[in-house]
Amino acid sequence: MTRRQGWGVVALLAAALLLWLFFAQWPDWLNAVLLSKKAFLSAVLNGLTLAGLYFLVASGFTLVFGLMRNVNLAHGSLYLLGAYIGYEVANWTGYWLLGVAAGFVVLALVGLVMQVLVFRRLEGDDLRQTLVTIGISIVAADLMLAAWTGTTYQILVPEWLDGAIKTPFVTAYRSNGAAVFLTYPFYRLVVLLVAIVIGIGLWLMLNKTRIGMMIRAGVDDREMLSASGANVHAIFAFVFALGAGLAGLAGVVGGSALSVSPGEDVRYLLASLVVVIVGGMGSITGAAIGALIIGLAEQIGLVYFPTYGVVLTFLIMVGVLAVRPQGIMGRSL
């Protein structure tokens, strides 16, 4: 058996195990070990949907930090500002989709301004970029605290996205033999679907379009791209605006699934850093894999060992860096 065939057998066995865990009736000993089938399934689904949210934030971050090598430690502030703007627009107009659109468009404009006024002047100076963006994030956090105070806000989703749906996963059987199916919030599944659609769109843009080709060429050899007649500054400004817009969109989507409050900027900046480091800098596929690993680890850890759940994500990051320093899908330098 070749190595490739061996990995194929392992993948088939893992898939069979997952199908059994999700669809089969659990024996009593497994329910005792994993608390219950409902707790396990809820943790996995929560991890998948959280991974979708992490990917939405980290996809913008991997475009700016991983692909363009711009150290933007104010990315979490863009997420939180987008959430606040989406909340205000959705409340003012009564249309949630307008709030989502406003979060994306306004933050894309903010990102464009940041790229032109800050990062274009600090090209190639990672230390100054780090210090300046830390300062921007501190000032932005204080300004948002002054404008929206320390109140926790909830962005209300429309009725057609609200409520729970019945999943095909059986959690138990009643005494009469009737199956009990797991119900799950519909909106959280929509978040996962949106993340998948955006991820596919970004991958296609970077790998199958002319603008994607120019972006990758500009990162590898910006002087040669400029000599070919392409406007490098305009390309980089577009990428930065797209990354900031995705952060703003994620803020509205995440604020609808969870909440909007001070401190969320730091949380999602840290999550983006971990996801990009684990998945590999500059890789959309890597960001998706990293988000999936971190999201599942965080939620499963929260259920089964809550005291040390936070440590688990950093152990994963350290383990990946020890084995593959460039990340799972990152390129060797």
Side-chain angles (χ1 to χ4, degrees):
M1 181 181 293
T2 64
R3 183 177 180 181
R4 185 174 182 179
Q5 290 173 332
W7 280 113
V9 171
V10 171
L12 286 174
L13 291 175
L17 177 61
L18 283 175
L19 288 174
W20 183 83
L21 286 173
F22 273 78
F23 293 100
Q25 183 178 1
W26 283 14
D28 293 338
W29 65 267
L30 188 57
N31 276 305
V33 171
L34 296 179
L35 300 182
S36 69
K37 187 177 181 180
K38 182 178 181 180
F40 172 78
L41 292 177
S42 297
V44 171
L45 289 175
N46 287 340
L48 289 174
T49 53
L50 182 64
L53 179 57
Y54 280 169
F55 173 77
L56 289 176
V57 186
S59 59
F61 192 70
T62 198
L63 287 174
V64 174
F65 177 54
L67 192 61
M68 295 172 56
R69 301 298 189 265
N70 285 159
V71 184
N72 180 21
L73 295 187
H75 193 75
S77 299
L78 300 178
Y79 169 92
L80 187 56
L81 180 59
Y84 281 131
I85 290 173
Y87 169 80
E88 294 293 347
V89 172
N91 271 10
W92 179 53
T93 62
Y95 292 98
W96 178 79
L97 287 175
L98 284 180
V100 175
F104 177 83
V105 172
V106 173
L107 268 297
L109 293 175
V110 171
L112 182 62
V113 171
M114 286 180 63
Q115 204 281 329
V116 172
L117 297 183
V118 178
F119 286 94
R120 189 172 296 180
R121 301 170 184 272
L122 303 177
E123 289 178 355
D125 195 336
D126 294 346
L127 179 59
R128 291 179 67 192
Q129 289 178 3
T130 302
L131 295 175
V132 169
T133 53
I134 287 176
I136 291 173
S137 66
I138 293 172
V139 173
D142 286 342
L143 290 175
M144 286 186 283
L145 185 62
W148 286 281
T149 69
T151 305
T152 298
Y153 297 94
Q154 180 70 50
I155 304 174
L156 299 179
V157 298
E159 291 184 2
W160 56 276
L161 287 176
D162 204 4
I165 62 171
K166 184 186 293 186
T167 68
F169 308 126
V170 177
T171 57
Y173 288 91
R174 294 191 175 95
S175 57
N176 61 0
V180 178
F181 292 91
L182 178 72
T183 58
Y184 196 75
F186 177 60
Y187 177 73
R188 293 186 70 112
L189 296 176
V190 171
V191 172
L192 179 60
L193 178 61
V194 169
I196 293 172
V197 171
I198 289 178
I200 293 173
L202 287 174
W203 186 87
L204 290 174
M205 183 197 76
L206 289 174
N207 294 280
K208 302 296 182 181
T209 65
R210 180 177 176 81
I211 183 68
M213 177 185 67
M214 289 191 293
I215 291 169
R216 289 182 284 114
V219 172
D220 292 334
D221 194 338
R222 120 175 242 164
E223 288 76 16
M224 184 62 70
L225 178 64
S226 180
S228 68
N231 189 334
V232 177
H233 286 306
I235 294 170
F236 277 23
F238 166 77
V239 175
F240 203 101
L242 178 61
L246 287 172
L249 183 145
V252 185
V253 171
S256 304
L258 303 171
S259 61
V260 184
S261 61
E264 294 294 290
D265 50 346
V266 177
R267 174 190 172 185
Y268 284 98
L269 171 63
L270 187 59
S272 299
L273 280 168
V274 174
V275 165
V276 170
I277 290 171
V278 170
M281 292 178 61
S283 171
I284 295 297
T285 306
I289 295 173
L292 183 63
I293 293 172
I294 299 304
L296 286 171
E298 186 173 317
Q299 290 301 307
I300 291 175
L302 188 64
V303 172
Y304 292 106
F305 32 92
T307 305
Y308 305 102
V310 178
V311 180
L312 183 59
T313 58
F314 293 98
L315 289 177
I316 291 172
M317 184 178 69
V318 171
V320 169
L321 289 175
V323 176
R324 190 173 171 83
Q326 69 270 31
I328 294 173
M329 298 296 292
R331 293 185 302 174
S332 299
L333 299 177

